[in-house]
Amino acid sequence: MSYNNIKVNSTKADQSGEITLNTTNLIEYKEAGINCILRKDSTGWSTKSTLASQTGFLNWGATTNPGNTSSTYKYDVGDNIITRKAGNEYDYVDNNITLVNSSGSYVPVSNTSWTMGYTLDGNYFNGKTVLLKALVSLTYYSGSSIVLQWHDGTGDITTTNALGARSYGNVNYGSFVYGIYTGDGTTRTVSIKVVDVTGTVVFTAGARAYNTQITIKEIG
Amino acid sequence: MSHNKVKVNGEEPNQSGEITIPFVSITGTPSTNDYLKYNGTNWTPVADTAINSGIGHIFIGQGESALYTSSPQGTSSITSTSTIYLYDTSPVNTISGATINKTGDWVTSVSLPAGDYYINAKSLFQFSASGVASYYVQIGSDGTQLGVIGDSRSSYYGAGDIAGAVFQIASTTTITFKFTSVTNIDTPANQSNTPAQYGLMYIEKLS
């Protein structure tokens, strides 16, 4: 071996014996993070995470709300769960979601201060997938229980489609109900439907709002 | 400069003047427009369409009806080590490299590639008398925290019915939804459609 006869990747050592490797070589990226990708930029290779960002669309954030515990306002099978909206109980609602007024045959009471569903704009949500997640604290009369499920639609439950598994609840047993929805380009309304009910279960009031969680977030 | 004084990335030549540079190999053969993705050991080619494959989700459980006796559990008694089967005729899976393992339309397990995950799983079963059952998702030799169902749940101090965790796996791992204890859980025949209608697993790949 003699001076300057050493080559590494076709690069000779300089007079100081130093070999500078071009940054297009992969060697320097042996410490890249898992799931990083290698991308050519103007001077060499750079690493970029594959992690994409996702966003939230809706959140119930009330600590209390007016309501009524009278059995007059009990839920029947096929009803939509209603929650108050007039007092900004939903502290985050994306512009592409509209809260639908409680009205019609499938609610315990019609009232424009309350919502029975969430309308997702067809154009905006086209191709987007959202996770629907809720736990609604209700008024349970003795021995009562309820089964909830996210549905596509607010009408007759025999005409709406389930968007996830059922969830059981009673005065001691709160359970999250999950749904998944992928936009198909049309504007649709999703709701939390009463699939089954035993005894008298009445819509939420007072501090039950604190226990209630309703979120819609992007997952794809 | 004298023999063996040259170093490249800290590596000296051997007696033959050869320098072996530690480098990370590329496994597989990239196609046009592929990216190179680092998996912790090697650079691997990934298709352009899979560039966001670091995230994704699995959603199992649409609330459909099916008798639990039609699951792999059959008519055998449910025990504290039984697998919990989820029913879904069209489960959602957008996690690249993940597989939902099924027997018919009953999900038996899920295989996940390396990465960080958030998981929630739950189900509901019928009891022959006042009872309780706990379950978790087994992840290799580890697992999620417990979810609890049933009325006799005071010994679980207010536990919820979600078995959940954030976890990291370094290589492809098969996860299984399983009981850890059962008291007075009813026979598969008496479960009817309940586990199919209430069973759910949601997995979100975080990285």
Side-chain angles (χ1 to χ4, degrees), chain A residues 175-187:
Chain A
S175 180
F176 277 96
V177 54
Y178 288 77
I180 190 169
Y181 172 83
T182 299
D184 62 0
T186 61
T187 295

Side-chain angles (χ1 to χ4, degrees), chain A residues 35-36 38 175-176 178, chain B residues 36-38 120 122 161 197:
Chain A
N35 285 337
C36 274
L38 197 59
S175 180
F176 277 96
Y178 288 77
Chain B
L36 291 178
K37 179 179 173 181
Y38 191 66
N120 278 183
K122 61 177 225 169
D161 65 347
Q197 292 175 333

Side-chain angles (χ1 to χ4, degrees), chain A residues 79-94:
Chain A
D79 277 356
N80 304 299
I81 291 292
I82 64 170
T83 48
R84 196 168 187 275
K85 64 185 176 73
N88 294 320
E89 285 81 3
Y90 286 90
D91 58 4
Y92 178 59
V93 182
D94 185 88

Side-chain angles (χ1 to χ4, degrees), chain B residues 100-199:
Chain B
I100 298 173
N101 304 305
K102 299 173 72 177
T103 298
D105 288 320
W106 289 96
V107 174
T108 56
S109 62
V110 177
S111 299
L112 299 171
D116 291 358
Y117 293 89
Y118 167 80
I119 186 169
N120 278 183
K122 61 177 225 169
S123 191
L124 189 64
F125 283 77
Q126 303 287 345
F127 293 85
S128 57
S130 185
V132 67
S134 61
Y135 48 60
Y136 81 133
V137 180
Q138 186 179 54
I139 306 163
S141 59
D142 203 349
T144 67
Q145 298 301 99
L146 297 181
V148 177
I149 55 174
D151 293 333
S152 301
R153 52 201 293 119
S154 59
S155 61
Y156 286 92
Y157 305 100
D161 65 347
I162 299 286
V166 168
F167 63 95
Q168 185 178 68
I169 49 178
S171 60
T172 297
T173 301
T174 297
I175 66 171
T176 308
F177 196 16
K178 300 186 75 169
F179 282 109
T180 58
S181 70
V182 295
T183 301
N184 290 334
I185 200 161
D186 217 333
T187 63
N190 288 338
Q191 295 302 329
S192 188
N193 294 305
T194 300
Q197 292 175 333
Y198 291 80

Side-chain angles (χ1 to χ4, degrees), chain A residues 129-132 147-152 160-167 177-182 195 219, chain B residues 57-66 85-93 100 102 105-107 122 193-202:
Chain A
T129 300
V130 297
L131 180 71
L132 313 163
V147 177
L148 303 178
Q149 189 174 40
W150 283 95
H151 273 243
D152 181 359
T160 57
N161 295 317
L163 298 173
R166 300 181 180 196
S167 187
V177 54
Y178 288 77
I180 190 169
Y181 172 83
T182 299
V195 176
I219 58 172
Chain B
H57 57 268
I58 286 174
F59 191 97
I60 302 167
Q62 312 287 338
E64 299 162 290
S65 298
Y85 301 102
L86 301 168
Y87 185 80
D88 198 325
T89 57
S90 56
V92 177
N93 178 10
I100 298 173
K102 299 173 72 177
D105 288 320
W106 289 96
V107 174
K122 61 177 225 169
N193 294 305
T194 300
Q197 292 175 333
Y198 291 80
L200 178 134
M201 181 179 287
Y202 174 68

